[in-house]
mmCIF file of all heavy atoms in Angstrom:
data_model
loop_
_atom_site.group_PDB
_atom_site.id
_atom_site.type_symbol
_atom_site.label_atom_id
_atom_site.label_comp_id
_atom_site.label_asym_id
_atom_site.label_seq_id
_atom_site.Cartn_x
_atom_site.Cartn_y
_atom_site.Cartn_z
ATOM 1 N N LEU A 1055 -5.976 -8.103 -4.808
ATOM 2 C CA LEU A 1055 -5.507 -7.109 -3.840
ATOM 3 C C LEU A 1055 -6.668 -6.339 -3.229
ATOM 4 O O LEU A 1055 -7.552 -5.877 -3.951
ATOM 5 C CB LEU A 1055 -4.567 -6.114 -4.526
ATOM 6 C CG LEU A 1055 -3.321 -6.693 -5.186
ATOM 7 C CD1 LEU A 1055 -2.663 -5.643 -6.062
ATOM 8 C CD2 LEU A 1055 -2.366 -7.212 -4.146
ATOM 9 N N MET A 1056 -6.664 -6.180 -1.926
ATOM 10 C CA MET A 1056 -7.640 -5.346 -1.232
ATOM 11 C C MET A 1056 -7.116 -3.910 -1.307
ATOM 12 O O MET A 1056 -6.189 -3.547 -0.602
ATOM 13 C CB MET A 1056 -7.789 -5.788 0.221
ATOM 14 C CG MET A 1056 -8.839 -5.036 0.993
ATOM 15 S SD MET A 1056 -10.511 -5.489 0.583
ATOM 16 C CE MET A 1056 -10.581 -7.143 1.212
ATOM 17 N N VAL A 1057 -7.704 -3.110 -2.200
ATOM 18 C CA VAL A 1057 -7.132 -1.801 -2.500
ATOM 19 C C VAL A 1057 -7.776 -0.645 -1.751
ATOM 20 O O VAL A 1057 -7.232 0.445 -1.723
ATOM 21 C CB VAL A 1057 -7.173 -1.501 -4.016
ATOM 22 C CG1 VAL A 1057 -6.295 -2.482 -4.765
ATOM 23 C CG2 VAL A 1057 -8.587 -1.519 -4.539
ATOM 24 N N ASN A 1058 -8.913 -0.837 -1.158
ATOM 25 C CA ASN A 1058 -9.571 0.259 -0.442
ATOM 26 C C ASN A 1058 -8.949 0.365 0.945
ATOM 27 O O ASN A 1058 -9.501 -0.071 1.931
ATOM 28 C CB ASN A 1058 -11.071 0.035 -0.358
ATOM 29 C CG ASN A 1058 -11.788 1.282 0.084
ATOM 30 O OD1 ASN A 1058 -11.247 2.374 0.017
ATOM 31 N ND2 ASN A 1058 -13.003 1.127 0.550
ATOM 32 N N LEU A 1059 -7.794 0.970 0.981
ATOM 33 C CA LEU A 1059 -6.980 1.016 2.189
ATOM 34 C C LEU A 1059 -6.795 2.461 2.614
ATOM 35 O O LEU A 1059 -6.506 3.321 1.792
ATOM 36 C CB LEU A 1059 -5.614 0.376 1.884
ATOM 37 C CG LEU A 1059 -4.556 0.406 2.949
ATOM 38 C CD1 LEU A 1059 -4.943 -0.524 4.088
ATOM 39 C CD2 LEU A 1059 -3.234 -0.038 2.364
ATOM 40 N N HIS A 1060 -7.005 2.736 3.877
ATOM 41 C CA HIS A 1060 -6.780 4.073 4.432
ATOM 42 C C HIS A 1060 -5.420 4.059 5.107
ATOM 43 O O HIS A 1060 -5.220 3.364 6.099
ATOM 44 C CB HIS A 1060 -7.877 4.434 5.433
ATOM 45 C CG HIS A 1060 -9.227 4.437 4.826
ATOM 46 N ND1 HIS A 1060 -9.689 5.472 4.056
ATOM 47 C CD2 HIS A 1060 -10.208 3.518 4.840
ATOM 48 C CE1 HIS A 1060 -10.906 5.197 3.647
ATOM 49 N NE2 HIS A 1060 -11.242 4.007 4.101
ATOM 50 N N THR A 1061 -4.483 4.806 4.581
ATOM 51 C CA THR A 1061 -3.106 4.795 5.094
ATOM 52 C C THR A 1061 -2.994 5.759 6.274
ATOM 53 O O THR A 1061 -2.503 6.868 6.128
ATOM 54 C CB THR A 1061 -2.115 5.155 3.981
ATOM 55 O OG1 THR A 1061 -2.479 6.426 3.449
ATOM 56 C CG2 THR A 1061 -2.120 4.139 2.872
ATOM 57 N N LYS A 1062 -3.453 5.299 7.428
ATOM 58 C CA LYS A 1062 -3.490 6.146 8.627
ATOM 59 C C LYS A 1062 -2.210 6.091 9.451
ATOM 60 O O LYS A 1062 -2.016 6.919 10.325
ATOM 61 C CB LYS A 1062 -4.670 5.736 9.504
ATOM 62 C CG LYS A 1062 -6.005 6.006 8.853
ATOM 63 C CD LYS A 1062 -7.130 5.630 9.769
ATOM 64 C CE LYS A 1062 -8.450 5.962 9.090
ATOM 65 N NZ LYS A 1062 -9.576 5.750 9.958
ATOM 66 N N ASN A 1063 -1.378 5.097 9.211
ATOM 67 C CA ASN A 1063 -0.125 4.999 9.958
ATOM 68 C C ASN A 1063 0.969 4.417 9.066
ATOM 69 O O ASN A 1063 0.720 4.090 7.899
ATOM 70 C CB ASN A 1063 -0.310 4.162 11.237
ATOM 71 C CG ASN A 1063 -0.807 2.754 10.931
ATOM 72 O OD1 ASN A 1063 -0.385 2.130 9.971
ATOM 73 N ND2 ASN A 1063 -1.710 2.265 11.759
ATOM 74 N N LYS A 1064 2.160 4.302 9.597
ATOM 75 C CA LYS A 1064 3.304 3.860 8.796
ATOM 76 C C LYS A 1064 3.115 2.438 8.266
ATOM 77 O O LYS A 1064 3.429 2.159 7.106
ATOM 78 C CB LYS A 1064 4.587 3.954 9.620
ATOM 79 C CG LYS A 1064 5.809 3.651 8.806
ATOM 80 C CD LYS A 1064 7.076 3.878 9.580
ATOM 81 C CE LYS A 1064 8.253 3.532 8.671
ATOM 82 N NZ LYS A 1064 9.511 3.939 9.222
ATOM 83 N N LYS A 1065 2.589 1.558 9.097
ATOM 84 C CA LYS A 1065 2.386 0.166 8.676
ATOM 85 C C LYS A 1065 1.433 0.101 7.483
ATOM 86 O O LYS A 1065 1.691 -0.598 6.505
ATOM 87 C CB LYS A 1065 1.822 -0.647 9.844
ATOM 88 C CG LYS A 1065 1.483 -2.077 9.493
ATOM 89 C CD LYS A 1065 0.816 -2.769 10.661
ATOM 90 C CE LYS A 1065 0.271 -4.117 10.249
ATOM 91 N NZ LYS A 1065 -0.498 -4.744 11.315
ATOM 92 N N LEU A 1066 0.321 0.848 7.552
ATOM 93 C CA LEU A 1066 -0.641 0.833 6.462
ATOM 94 C C LEU A 1066 -0.112 1.547 5.223
ATOM 95 O O LEU A 1066 -0.430 1.165 4.097
ATOM 96 C CB LEU A 1066 -1.968 1.441 6.922
ATOM 97 C CG LEU A 1066 -2.715 0.624 7.974
ATOM 98 C CD1 LEU A 1066 -3.943 1.374 8.463
ATOM 99 C CD2 LEU A 1066 -3.094 -0.741 7.437
ATOM 100 N N THR A 1067 0.723 2.559 5.432
ATOM 101 C CA THR A 1067 1.345 3.233 4.286
ATOM 102 C C THR A 1067 2.264 2.264 3.554
ATOM 103 O O THR A 1067 2.248 2.196 2.320
ATOM 104 C CB THR A 1067 2.125 4.478 4.749
ATOM 105 O OG1 THR A 1067 1.208 5.376 5.390
ATOM 106 C CG2 THR A 1067 2.791 5.177 3.590
ATOM 107 N N GLU A 1068 3.042 1.490 4.302
ATOM 108 C CA GLU A 1068 3.916 0.482 3.684
ATOM 109 C C GLU A 1068 3.098 -0.566 2.941
ATOM 110 O O GLU A 1068 3.478 -1.013 1.858
ATOM 111 C CB GLU A 1068 4.805 -0.176 4.738
ATOM 112 C CG GLU A 1068 5.879 0.735 5.272
ATOM 113 C CD GLU A 1068 6.832 1.218 4.189
ATOM 114 O OE1 GLU A 1068 7.260 0.405 3.343
ATOM 115 O OE2 GLU A 1068 7.144 2.420 4.170
ATOM 116 N N ARG A 1069 1.969 -0.958 3.511
ATOM 117 C CA ARG A 1069 1.097 -1.921 2.840
ATOM 118 C C ARG A 1069 0.549 -1.313 1.544
ATOM 119 O O ARG A 1069 0.479 -1.973 0.523
ATOM 120 C CB ARG A 1069 -0.057 -2.340 3.753
ATOM 121 C CG ARG A 1069 -0.903 -3.442 3.135
ATOM 122 C CD ARG A 1069 -1.971 -3.932 4.079
ATOM 123 N NE ARG A 1069 -1.349 -4.540 5.246
ATOM 124 C CZ ARG A 1069 -1.950 -4.694 6.406
ATOM 125 N NH1 ARG A 1069 -3.195 -4.286 6.581
ATOM 126 N NH2 ARG A 1069 -1.342 -5.260 7.421
ATOM 127 N N GLY A 1070 0.179 -0.038 1.598
ATOM 128 C CA GLY A 1070 -0.320 0.651 0.408
ATOM 129 C C GLY A 1070 0.735 0.718 -0.685
ATOM 130 O O GLY A 1070 0.430 0.522 -1.863
ATOM 131 N N VAL A 1071 1.968 0.988 -0.305
ATOM 132 C CA VAL A 1071 3.062 1.028 -1.280
ATOM 133 C C VAL A 1071 3.232 -0.353 -1.913
ATOM 134 O O VAL A 1071 3.402 -0.481 -3.134
ATOM 135 C CB VAL A 1071 4.375 1.509 -0.623
ATOM 136 C CG1 VAL A 1071 5.558 1.314 -1.551
ATOM 137 C CG2 VAL A 1071 4.255 2.971 -0.216
ATOM 138 N N GLY A 1072 3.153 -1.390 -1.096
ATOM 139 C CA GLY A 1072 3.263 -2.763 -1.615
ATOM 140 C C GLY A 1072 2.137 -3.103 -2.591
ATOM 141 O O GLY A 1072 2.362 -3.744 -3.621
ATOM 142 N N ILE A 1073 0.935 -2.657 -2.275
ATOM 143 C CA ILE A 1073 -0.203 -2.883 -3.168
ATOM 144 C C ILE A 1073 0.043 -2.178 -4.500
ATOM 145 O O ILE A 1073 -0.189 -2.741 -5.572
ATOM 146 C CB ILE A 1073 -1.515 -2.409 -2.514
ATOM 147 C CG1 ILE A 1073 -1.901 -3.350 -1.371
ATOM 148 C CG2 ILE A 1073 -2.644 -2.319 -3.536
ATOM 149 C CD1 ILE A 1073 -3.033 -2.834 -0.502
ATOM 150 N N LEU A 1074 0.512 -0.934 -4.435
ATOM 151 C CA LEU A 1074 0.800 -0.188 -5.663
ATOM 152 C C LEU A 1074 1.888 -0.871 -6.487
ATOM 153 O O LEU A 1074 1.793 -0.921 -7.719
ATOM 154 C CB LEU A 1074 1.233 1.236 -5.336
ATOM 155 C CG LEU A 1074 0.120 2.205 -4.995
ATOM 156 C CD1 LEU A 1074 0.692 3.539 -4.569
ATOM 157 C CD2 LEU A 1074 -0.811 2.381 -6.165
ATOM 158 N N GLU A 1075 2.907 -1.379 -5.817
ATOM 159 C CA GLU A 1075 3.970 -2.089 -6.536
ATOM 160 C C GLU A 1075 3.392 -3.270 -7.308
ATOM 161 O O GLU A 1075 3.685 -3.461 -8.487
ATOM 162 C CB GLU A 1075 5.029 -2.611 -5.567
ATOM 163 C CG GLU A 1075 5.975 -1.573 -5.032
ATOM 164 C CD GLU A 1075 6.973 -2.199 -4.096
ATOM 165 O OE1 GLU A 1075 6.585 -2.630 -2.994
ATOM 166 O OE2 GLU A 1075 8.157 -2.264 -4.483
ATOM 167 N N ASN A 1076 2.561 -4.050 -6.630
ATOM 168 C CA ASN A 1076 1.977 -5.232 -7.257
ATOM 169 C C ASN A 1076 0.987 -4.879 -8.356
ATOM 170 O O ASN A 1076 0.941 -5.523 -9.396
ATOM 171 C CB ASN A 1076 1.282 -6.112 -6.216
ATOM 172 C CG ASN A 1076 2.254 -6.832 -5.335
ATOM 173 O OD1 ASN A 1076 3.360 -7.154 -5.751
ATOM 174 N ND2 ASN A 1076 1.864 -7.080 -4.099
ATOM 175 N N ALA A 1077 0.163 -3.869 -8.134
ATOM 176 C CA ALA A 1077 -0.904 -3.537 -9.081
ATOM 177 C C ALA A 1077 -0.398 -2.809 -10.317
ATOM 178 O O ALA A 1077 -0.949 -2.968 -11.396
ATOM 179 C CB ALA A 1077 -1.968 -2.697 -8.386
ATOM 180 N N THR A 1078 0.662 -2.009 -10.163
ATOM 181 C CA THR A 1078 1.099 -1.162 -11.269
ATOM 182 C C THR A 1078 2.444 -1.549 -11.852
ATOM 183 O O THR A 1078 2.798 -1.089 -12.928
ATOM 184 C CB THR A 1078 1.191 0.312 -10.831
ATOM 185 O OG1 THR A 1078 2.185 0.422 -9.799
ATOM 186 C CG2 THR A 1078 -0.138 0.833 -10.326
ATOM 187 N N GLY A 1079 3.211 -2.348 -11.117
ATOM 188 C CA GLY A 1079 4.545 -2.718 -11.591
ATOM 189 C C GLY A 1079 5.594 -1.647 -11.338
ATOM 190 O O GLY A 1079 6.714 -1.737 -11.841
ATOM 191 N N LEU A 1080 5.245 -0.634 -10.547
ATOM 192 C CA LEU A 1080 6.196 0.430 -10.220
ATOM 193 C C LEU A 1080 7.222 -0.056 -9.205
ATOM 194 O O LEU A 1080 6.962 -0.990 -8.452
ATOM 195 C CB LEU A 1080 5.462 1.633 -9.626
ATOM 196 C CG LEU A 1080 4.497 2.374 -10.542
ATOM 197 C CD1 LEU A 1080 3.704 3.398 -9.743
ATOM 198 C CD2 LEU A 1080 5.249 3.045 -11.670
ATOM 199 N N ASP A 1081 8.366 0.620 -9.155
ATOM 200 C CA ASP A 1081 9.332 0.315 -8.109
ATOM 201 C C ASP A 1081 8.855 0.936 -6.794
ATOM 202 O O ASP A 1081 7.968 1.792 -6.785
ATOM 203 C CB ASP A 1081 10.733 0.833 -8.483
ATOM 204 C CG ASP A 1081 10.764 2.339 -8.637
ATOM 205 O OD1 ASP A 1081 10.506 2.823 -9.757
ATOM 206 O OD2 ASP A 1081 11.022 3.029 -7.638
ATOM 207 N N ARG A 1082 9.436 0.525 -5.682
ATOM 208 C CA ARG A 1082 8.989 0.935 -4.351
ATOM 209 C C ARG A 1082 9.046 2.458 -4.159
ATOM 210 O O ARG A 1082 8.124 3.053 -3.622
ATOM 211 C CB ARG A 1082 9.820 0.224 -3.286
ATOM 212 C CG ARG A 1082 9.311 0.417 -1.888
ATOM 213 C CD ARG A 1082 9.800 -0.717 -0.994
ATOM 214 N NE ARG A 1082 9.054 -0.777 0.227
ATOM 215 C CZ ARG A 1082 7.825 -1.289 0.356
ATOM 216 N NH1 ARG A 1082 7.204 -1.773 -0.681
ATOM 217 N NH2 ARG A 1082 7.222 -1.311 1.520
#
């Protein structure tokens, strides 16, 4: 996972949430 992500807009925020889901096993 490319984790150094700057969540500057909604699309990138959604991508960040997806990365967190995959990396930590948390729900959305």
